[in-house]
Amino acid sequence: MNPSSFRATSIIGVLTLLLAPASGLAQQIGTCPPSQGEAYLDINNVRARIVNTGGLFYRGEPSVYEVPINSGKNSIFASALWIAGMVDGKLVASAARYGNNELWAGPLDDAGNPPEDCSEYDRLYKVSRSDMVSYETTGIATDDLRQWPTGLGAPTLDLEGKKIDLSVQPFSDRWTRTINLSAGERPAIRGDQSIWWVMNDRGNVHNSTDTEPMEIEVHGLAFAASSGIDAIHNTTLYNFRIINRNMLPITDAYVGLFVDSDLGNFDDDLIGSDTSRGMGFTYNGDNDDEDFDGNNDGVDEEGYGTAPPAIGALFLEGPKADNDFVDNDQDGIVDETGERMRTTTISWFNGGAGVMATPTTGRHYYLLLQGRWKDGRRMTFGGVGTSSRGHSDSTNFLFPGDPVTRRFWSELNIDDQGTAREPGDRRFYIASGPFSLGPGEETDITVAIVWARGKDHLDSITELRKAADQIRTAYETGFLNDPRSLPEIQIPPQPNPAAALGHNFPEPFTDQTTIIYRLPHPTY
């Protein structure tokens, strides 16, 4: 990497700030090509392809989220980070699904400028605990361990175990700084294996959302732990650190994770919302996941067969909450230090035409993240969420009923009369917001992707819920940061669905029930 690869040194960066127009949105974007870097998270029972485009698992064939590892069977086709908010009264977003990703390799400098050549940063750094043990015993370091980019923000600990934070230094003073292993510095990895990378949203044109850049820098950390506990063994985790490099605040922001979860055969799935856990999930429509020709090449790929698994995504930590006089984490305390947002939306889009069609503009993505359809309307209980059963109950959570018990409203009971939808190709997303980021401020989120397999396709949902509870306990007790610290994880009591995310509904659902969500929705 060369210092001249940035459009501004620290001095020019200061002049740029002083002479810049009132809105950071007027700044020039870069000309970076799509990122090509990738690595594989493969320490446990999952082999996940990690790319540095803002997406996960997919950059063209093959997509890889293989569970069990070395089985050749995949549970997710693609996933992606979605972020949208308002800057100076204008909607800005960074979002995509499969292509035209809107994050590019590399950081932003002190003036918020991207690299001249993002390819110099088109790399992911993969380090495992075994790499560090090997270095301690032999003195030989892997390339990624030796070149761990501390100066770019890769999490690093000093000899005393304290975090090294160089973000207060001018970018030109730190961008070449790598880890000093001989001084006792070590990567602050999580779990038993971590992959770190850095991206920005000013590297080129936003073709998916058709908005100007948010001017954010995003640090990704994918990690997993090796464990005899099935829940941990079958889970991967993702931390995204989001830094506002804009000269102006980002307000009314939402962040989400899109998941196109193809459980083996992509064409026989159903989805649901577990509101008590803040988890979106996918399960098979029947108890047999058949073989399928996923590439249309005349050669069948294996499905999961009988007793197919279920897979879910949930926030372990949402974005930092604003001081907004709202109990965002619903712990009975308002605006406490360190308060985090919970999952505020779990929904879907199903392609085709109409309000549930594929998002094609920043406004579409922004509305989806808020739990609204493309025309701005709220989701409503019943059917596919676009009309109610004679009442106007609105919701931010699609299909929150229990498929195991056939409780309304799920894809196995869309009308409270036991009518099931036809299984097919499904996708969902989880989202959280709104929150704000001032100039130079940052937040981070941590998402878990959990996989479980039960005695049949519905029992897999039950096992998935247990696994999600174990993962949350493991995360909150520190096990997933240092899996050597705890001998085992106990399954916590099942949460009470009636207390889920601040809403209540009786069993069974009745037309007289009104669901009220105290969620602000910005207008523009």
Side-chain angles (χ1 to χ4, degrees):
M1 292 180 286
N2 189 311
S4 64
S5 68
F6 268 83
R7 290 193 173 87
T9 63
S10 58
I11 296 177
I12 297 176
V14 172
L15 293 175
T16 302
L17 288 171
L18 293 175
L19 300 175
S23 172
L25 295 175
Q27 295 190 28
Q28 183 179 357
I29 63 170
T31 57
C32 294
S35 303
Q36 299 299 315
E38 64 179 55
Y40 286 85
L41 195 66
D42 55 7
I43 196 67
N44 58 12
N45 198 35
V46 183
R47 182 172 181 261
R49 184 189 195 194
I50 310 300
V51 296
N52 59 348
T53 64
L56 293 168
F57 319 135
Y58 175 84
R59 190 201 285 112
E61 298 294 343
S63 58
V64 180
Y65 195 86
E66 184 186 41
V67 201
I69 195 168
N70 299 323
S71 68
K73 299 175 183 179
N74 289 277
S75 290
I76 298 178
F77 180 74
S79 184
L81 181 70
W82 290 358
I83 313 170
M86 306 295 291
V87 173
D88 197 28
K90 296 184 69 173
L91 172 64
V92 289
S94 173
R97 295 172 297 110
Y98 311 106
N100 287 330
N101 295 94
E102 297 183 343
L103 289 170
W104 290 266
L108 299 176
D109 69 8
D110 296 331
N113 293 313
E116 286 279 5
D117 183 4
C118 289
S119 63
E120 296 186 20
Y121 299 89
D122 194 2
R123 176 177 176 182
L124 297 89
Y125 297 81
K126 177 179 176 179
V127 171
S128 66
R129 292 193 184 277
S130 61
D131 294 335
M132 291 190 281
V133 170
S134 177
Y135 174 75
E136 303 293 349
T137 56
T138 68
I140 300 174
T142 64
D143 287 345
D144 286 352
L145 174 57
R146 179 170 45 84
Q147 297 168 8
W148 189 254
T150 303
L152 295 181
T156 307
L157 303 177
D158 64 17
L159 180 61
E160 298 178 351
K162 298 177 181 178
K163 180 181 177 181
I164 297 173
D165 185 2
L166 304 179
S167 61
V168 296
Q169 297 182 10
F171 182 82
S172 58
D173 291 346
R174 62 179 171 84
W175 69 277
T176 58
R177 163 74 148 88
T178 56
I179 195 167
N180 189 343
L181 294 172
S182 62
E185 295 177 0
R186 296 293 181 267
I189 72 169
R190 299 187 184 187
D192 285 301
Q193 185 184 84
S194 289
I195 298 173
W196 185 90
W197 68 104
V198 59
M199 304 174 286
N200 72 87
D201 88 320
R202 285 198 63 203
N204 212 318
V205 177
H206 285 216
N207 286 320
S208 288
T209 63
D210 195 28
T211 71
E212 294 182 73
M214 303 182 75
E215 300 187 29
I216 55 173
E217 179 176 311
V218 179
H219 300 184
L221 185 74
F223 61 104
S226 179
S227 171
I229 301 169
D230 284 346
I232 296 173
H233 196 47
N234 295 324
T235 293
T236 57
L237 302 103
Y238 306 87
N239 176 265
F240 293 102
R241 179 186 179 192
I242 304 163
I243 307 169
N244 179 15
R245 301 294 192 197
N246 203 309
M247 295 177 294
L248 299 172
I250 302 172
T251 61
D252 297 316
Y254 291 77
V255 61
L257 188 76
F258 159 71
V259 182
D260 184 345
S261 47
D262 296 346
L263 281 171
N265 187 337
F266 68 94
D267 203 27
D268 61 351
D269 295 337
L270 299 172
I271 58 172
S273 298
D274 187 327
T275 57
S276 62
R277 295 169 177 85
M279 178 173 66
F281 63 93
T282 300
Y283 58 104
N284 214 67
D286 58 28
N287 200 39
D288 184 18
D289 185 52
E290 301 88 354
D291 296 345
F292 63 104
D293 184 3
N295 298 322
N296 294 316
D297 58 3
V299 179
D300 278 349
E301 301 173 47
E302 286 188 41
Y304 278 101
T306 57
I311 195 165
L314 67 153
F315 286 105
L316 295 177
E317 283 189 312
K320 297 174 184 176
D322 294 345
N323 289 328
D324 54 5
F325 306 104
V326 176
D327 182 13
N328 290 288
D329 57 3
Q330 298 185 349
D331 63 352
I333 306 174
V334 174
D335 292 344
E336 72 269 28
T337 301
E339 184 181 24
R340 295 277 186 161
M341 302 286 296
R342 297 188 68 178
T343 305
T344 53
T345 293
I346 302 172
S347 189
W348 72 332
F349 59 91
N350 68 349
V355 297
M356 294 187 297
T358 299
T360 57
T361 68
R363 182 176 185 272
H364 292 161
Y365 283 102
Y366 194 41
L367 289 168
L368 289 175
L369 287 168
Q370 297 176 48
R372 295 175 181 265
W373 298 118
K374 288 172 60 175
D375 62 358
R377 287 185 296 164
R378 297 287 303 277
M379 288 188 292
T380 52
F381 272 82
V384 293
T386 57
S387 60
S388 60
R389 304 173 304 135
H391 53 75
S392 58
D393 295 319
S394 60
T395 178
N396 279 33
F397 300 93
L398 195 76
F399 305 131
D402 187 355
V404 179
T405 63
R406 299 299 203 277
R407 179 183 181 180
F408 179 74
W409 167 50
S410 74
E411 287 212 78
L412 293 181
N413 183 3
I414 64 172
D415 56 2
D416 207 12
Q417 302 298 316
T419 303
R421 294 194 72 234
E422 186 71 22
D425 187 9
R426 296 289 195 268
R427 52 195 66 85
F428 69 87
Y429 62 91
I430 60 174
S432 186
F435 61 95
S436 303
L437 287 177
E441 290 184 349
E442 64 179 72
T443 191
D444 72 298
I445 62 170
T446 301
V447 178
I449 295 179
V450 185
W451 186 97
R453 194 168 192 172
K455 299 175 184 177
D456 56 46
H457 68 299
L458 297 181
D459 187 53
S460 290
I461 300 173
T462 300
E463 293 301 315
L464 182 71
R465 291 166 176 159
K466 294 177 183 177
D469 292 339
Q470 287 182 289
I471 292 301
R472 185 171 296 281
T473 298
Y475 184 81
E476 293 177 351
T477 55
F479 182 87
L480 292 173
N481 287 328
D482 183 358
R484 301 163 299 178
S485 62
L486 295 174
E488 62 182 77
I489 298 296
Q490 299 296 325
I491 299 176
Q494 300 296 299
N496 177 10
L501 298 177
H503 70 266
N504 296 276
F505 50 92
E507 175 70 56
F509 187 88
T510 66
D511 285 347
Q512 287 72 42
T513 304
T514 300
I515 313 300
I516 300 175
Y517 294 89
R518 189 175 57 179
L519 296 174
H521 293 278
T523 57
Y524 52 93

